[in-house]
Amino acid sequence: MSSVAKKITPTSFAEAVSNRINGHYNWRVLIVEDEPAIAEGIQNIIAPPTSVIPIHRSSRQRPNPANGNSSPSAQKDQFEVVWAKNPTEALKFVQDSIAQNKPFAMGFFDVLLGSSIDGIELVRQIHQIDPRMYAVFVTAYHDRTVDSINQILGPDKADRWDYMNKPFTDGSILQKARNAVSMWNLKEQKKHQEEQLAEAANLLLQGERANTVAAVGRSVAHEFGNLLMHIIGHAEIALIKSDVTTMQQSLATILKAGDTAASVLKKFKKMHNSDQSIEFTEISINQSIDEAVDLMGHEFKKRMIQVTRPIFHKCVLEANHHSLVQVFMNLFINASHAMPHGGQIDISVTRIMHGELPNSGMVEIRIRDHGPGIPEEILPLVLDAFFTTKGQQGTGLGLGICKEIIQSEHQGEFHIGNHPSKGLEIVIRLPEKQEVSDERS
């Protein structure tokens, strides 16, 4: 076991994160390798002793510190490394780490351990003890395929493992460690913030007075806003520097989600100040829908939900983009919950006219799921605050918030009903942007 403490600069991403989780950033790494030379090589790459030159695992050599080419980023890492020689020892280390509340953020696992179980089965067993841990498999080209690993670990763990082929470079090992550790800490931040938001919602559900709710809301909005600032800022840096297409797409989605969440929390923070108005701009309703669909992409894929667009007219509104994204996100979440085993969501955007009057156009958005619908006897109640059909998993606020945004903020219409064929259908009507006629003589 080796631990190297190095000072982190105030602008480093690690410190920004560590300030969020009670001042603690998890740098713990487990190496499971039956060959001491390889285990020592990995350890010296990510946590090099000050007097030891790391062992190189490929022909691509690291820069010589004597030539002044050492990477300044190396001074920011504080990896705490534990080496396990076999699966039994690894399982014991993981169990002890949970008991001591010092979990590992990630681990490097050799696939062929020369034991009764290989590294993939070991990770499957570790995830039963600690499902949060990230795993990087260090494998030869013909050990296992990506599909076979995914089948053993399960699709729900697809985002918790990665692999790299031998021979590896120092840089690839170090970057895998940094990425996995960063993802572990970011997810813990998200969990921490969700707990804060849940606590605020619980106070609301208990019927606290409006000023108490506003105070809680301002506090949560402030804290969550700070977190989002760090996530967005460093996601932008990663997006600029990355040359991996998949990472760029994922980070772009993080930026959109953070931007929308920041706007929602900004409105929550203004609850106590009624003289501040909602900002309206010229937007494409199709863009707001597309962004909500993109943000739900992972959830739709996980739940095997297909999105169709039977009618999709291009329409422009004077509206608040983030508010509408919030509405559509709420509706898509409800629809996905209504179809836990997969299904379909139909989204239609249609331009309609009210009579023959000029500039009387409306945009009609229909969102229909193919779930069981809502019993007719309780359908009139679903828009009431705090009414929910989800038991303890629901707050009864989602549809009420949607109705408030559409009707009060945007002077639109919000209707809910069961589709004649199957499922629930939401109908939203919003005024289309009016064109100013040229009446110059």
Side-chain angles (χ1 to χ4, degrees), residues 241-259:
K241 293 186 176 181
S242 173
D243 58 354
V244 182
T245 302
T246 302
M247 181 180 290
Q248 290 178 333
Q249 293 173 345
S250 299
L251 289 173
T253 302
I254 291 173
L255 292 175
K256 288 191 291 186
D259 196 21

Side-chain angles (χ1 to χ4, degrees), residues 134-192:
Y134 282 83
V136 174
F137 295 109
V138 182
T139 173
Y141 286 103
H142 302 294
D143 287 346
R144 290 291 183 96
T145 65
V146 172
D147 289 339
S148 67
I149 297 175
N150 195 52
Q151 288 177 359
I152 294 173
L153 298 183
D156 60 318
K157 291 292 189 293
D159 64 337
R160 291 282 174 174
W161 66 271
D162 199 352
Y163 78 102
M164 58 190 306
N165 290 314
K166 301 175 183 176
F168 50 78
T169 65
D170 292 8
S172 62
I173 283 284
L174 185 58
Q175 196 59 32
K176 292 288 186 185
R178 287 173 176 168
N179 287 346
V181 166
S182 294
M183 286 302 300
W184 189 97
N185 284 281
L186 282 171
K187 289 205 173 188
E188 287 302 300
Q189 292 175 76
K190 180 175 180 291
K191 178 182 175 183
H192 174 69

Side-chain angles (χ1 to χ4, degrees), residues 19 22 28 31 40 53 57-58 60 70 87 91 100 126 133 147-148 172 234 239 265 272 291 304 324 363 414-415:
N19 290 336
N22 299 323
R28 303 200 74 212
I31 299 174
E40 183 181 1
I53 298 177
R57 308 311 310 164
S58 77
R60 186 179 299 175
S70 59
L91 289 170
Q100 298 167 9
I126 285 177
M133 186 175 177
D147 289 339
S148 67
S172 62
H234 291 284
L239 184 60
L265 288 171
H272 69 293
E291 183 167 321
M304 296 179 293
L324 294 182
V363 177
F414 188 93
H415 306 284

Side-chain angles (χ1 to χ4, degrees), residues 375-389:
E376 292 293 334
E377 61 270 19
I378 65 172
L379 191 58
L381 304 176
V382 296
L383 293 177
D384 293 344
F386 310 119
F387 180 86
T388 179
T389 60

